[in-house]
Amino acid sequence: MTLAERSATAVVWTIAGAVTVFLLTPLVVTVIVSFGSSAIFTLPPPGWSMRWYERLANLRGLSSALAVSFQVGLLATAASLLLGGMASIALARGRFAGRETILAFLTSPLMLPGLVLGIALLQGMRFAGLRDVWTSLVIAHVIITMPYVVRTLYSALTLFDFSLVDAARTLGCSYPAAIGRVLLPNLAPAFVTSGIFAFLASMDNYAISIFFTNAWTKTLPIQMLNYVEEQPDPTIAAISSLLIGLVLVLLLICERVVGLRRLAEI
Amino acid sequence: MIAALKNRLARMDRIAILAVPALVYMIAIFAIPVAGLLLRSFSGPDGFTLAGYVSFLGDAFNWRVIGNTLRVAAITTLICLAIGYPTAVALSRARGFVQVALLVAIILPLSVGVVVKAFAWQIVLRRDGIVANILVGLGVWDTPQLLLFTETGLVVGAANLFLPFMILPIYSVLKLVDPNIQDAAATLGASPVYRFFKVALPLAMPGIVSGSSIVFSLAVSMYVIPSLLIGDRFQTLATLVGRSFLLMRNEQLGAVTASVLLALALAIVAFSSWAVRRKGDSR
């Protein structure tokens, strides 16, 4: 290696190291603050304490917001796995005109400003006379989760060898049995990863949810932003740390099911 | 023959039907309301009007807002590219534990909420925060300064949030590039600088274009980060949309601002897909 190449390699690894630190900074800070005894986020903390976690139990509005976010996230993810899964099969297998356009359309909410979508959806639902917060949230969140599901399932389906289904049928499987025993197990990783990403996107959504929540029904990000704005104390860091823990567990599941390397390809 | 054709046709239709529920849902819940919002921005007391746009574009404040939005998004994208490209290169060369560690560092933050991250950056960027302490310790600053509520702080938070969306597309392209190409160019006498600009960079271009367009469009429409890291003094198109609907209850202004933002986002999408396709054709 020449000197220029060696210094280029050194620069690349230095930047990669710095980027790793930079990316993990907010997560590390959050976890440290949540275990610190200081109420004003002193870093490094003067002492350690679990009191912010103890306060979580009787924090007003937290458990209901968590419940709303979980329910809405699960329902929206399930709905888009069903609708998006069917559409992906049609797009990957069908030979009809306009497939590219339909694919672009189904994944387009990802590229549009969330706030604009939220306003449009709000006005649409007002026009339709739908006032129930919970139902509106679920309906709106399907728009958030759909692009993740369609994008991942479609690319997995285009790589799937459909002659395997034909082979199973030749060997005596009925068509539904062939789908259930051959196609679905093969696509399970794609279902799991797209489902997890869709669920996390729904759990994290602020820009669309803000238009559908009221004083009584709030999703987690909105409730948390309220805490940050009203009475910032490390309790928020404690919630956040628990969420980071949850995501770590989900990522470990992904790693077991599909491997992180494939996750990065999505 | 005709029977077989009919059979094929029937089968094609059956499969296409599977896409119908999702399409109907997305048209009813997503496409029609977005179209409705666009229409609303053109509607006045007596039908079609451009008055909303005329007054929006006639206001110097709004031009400053558009300028703020584009400037912050452009700087964020450039920073993400400058540090994201080398990281993607490192990721494509890494093996084993290092590779897994890098991937975790990139994917884990991706799945942590924006409110959580913005909150953490509030702590880090305070006057007595880590960054200020380090800069004073290094002698860069004489006294600790406030980074929070400045444009620098906003860009730091935004770059942190969107960096994975730059790294992953570039990585997915680099991974497919044959490493022997570099060696071949070297064997043929290309200097390292020449190889970087004429071999490595063009090969990575599809990833760079798609990463940059994702980061730019995310940065143009971010809302939570500016509200928490810079506050009301500094308005972007997205925060202005939020303000007009959530605080001022001015739906006409909101619809116009939202349409301007939507047009910007669509322009970015159109430009990047055009750039990627042109790149593909020139191969």
Side-chain angles (χ1 to χ4, degrees), chain A residues 22 41 115 119 139 204 247 261, chain B residues 25 99 111 113-114 160 238 245:
Chain A
F22 178 54
F41 318 108
L115 222 54
I119 290 159
I139 292 176
D204 184 35
V247 168
R261 231 159 276 118
Chain B
Y25 189 93
Q99 190 185 32
S111 27
V114 54
N160 179 263
F245 274 97

Side-chain angles (χ1 to χ4, degrees), chain A residues 9-233:
Chain A
T9 309
V11 168
V12 160
W13 284 104
T14 312
I15 293 179
V19 161
T20 308
V21 173
F22 178 54
L23 282 173
L24 291 177
T25 297
L27 315 195
V28 173
V29 165
T30 307
V31 174
I32 292 177
V33 164
S34 78
F35 287 109
S37 59
S38 157
I40 52 160
F41 318 108
T42 315
L43 279 177
W48 303 101
S49 140
M50 286 297 289
R51 63 176 162 142
W52 311 116
Y53 287 89
E54 284 155 17
R55 280 195 50 183
L56 282 183
N58 34 31
L59 191 62
R60 193 169 39 83
L62 177 66
S63 54
S64 65
L66 201 62
V68 169
S69 269
F70 255 94
Q71 290 165 348
V72 169
L74 284 179
L75 273 175
T77 305
S80 49
L81 278 175
L82 181 68
L83 292 178
M86 279 165 35
S88 307
I89 293 176
L91 293 175
R93 279 298 277 166
R95 293 283 169 271
F96 49 93
R99 280 177 301 141
E100 296 259 310
T101 318
I102 295 175
L103 182 66
F105 171 62
L106 291 181
T107 52
S108 62
L110 211 55
M111 295 299 279
L112 299 182
L115 222 54
V116 176
L117 283 185
I119 290 159
L121 264 54
L122 174 71
Q123 291 180 339
M125 285 184 205
R126 244 198 246 154
F127 184 77
L130 182 66
R131 301 227 165 247
D132 182 56
V133 173
W134 201 85
T135 318
S136 318
L137 271 174
V138 175
I139 292 176
H141 274 231
V142 175
I143 308 289
I144 303 164
T145 49
M146 184 76 82
Y148 291 91
V149 170
V150 171
R151 205 172 48 170
T152 309
L153 286 184
Y154 173 77
S155 59
L157 277 162
T158 49
L159 296 176
F160 178 73
D161 182 2
F162 273 91
S163 58
L164 288 176
V165 175
D166 297 335
R169 294 199 62 193
T170 316
L171 293 172
C173 263
S174 68
Y175 194 66
I179 295 286
R181 287 194 187 171
V182 179
L183 179 71
L184 289 184
N186 262 292
L187 288 180
F191 272 102
V192 172
T193 44
S194 67
I196 286 177
F197 271 93
F199 178 73
L200 288 172
S202 159
M203 283 283 283
D204 184 35
N205 184 274
Y206 178 87
I208 292 180
S209 307
I210 183 72
F211 293 100
F212 295 100
T213 48
N214 58 22
W216 303 278
T217 313
K218 282 180 185 156
T219 61
L220 191 61
I222 288 165
Q223 185 68 57
M224 282 176 63
L225 199 68
N226 276 5
Y227 293 142
V228 174
E229 282 170 349
E230 280 164 18
Q231 34 144 10
D233 72 30

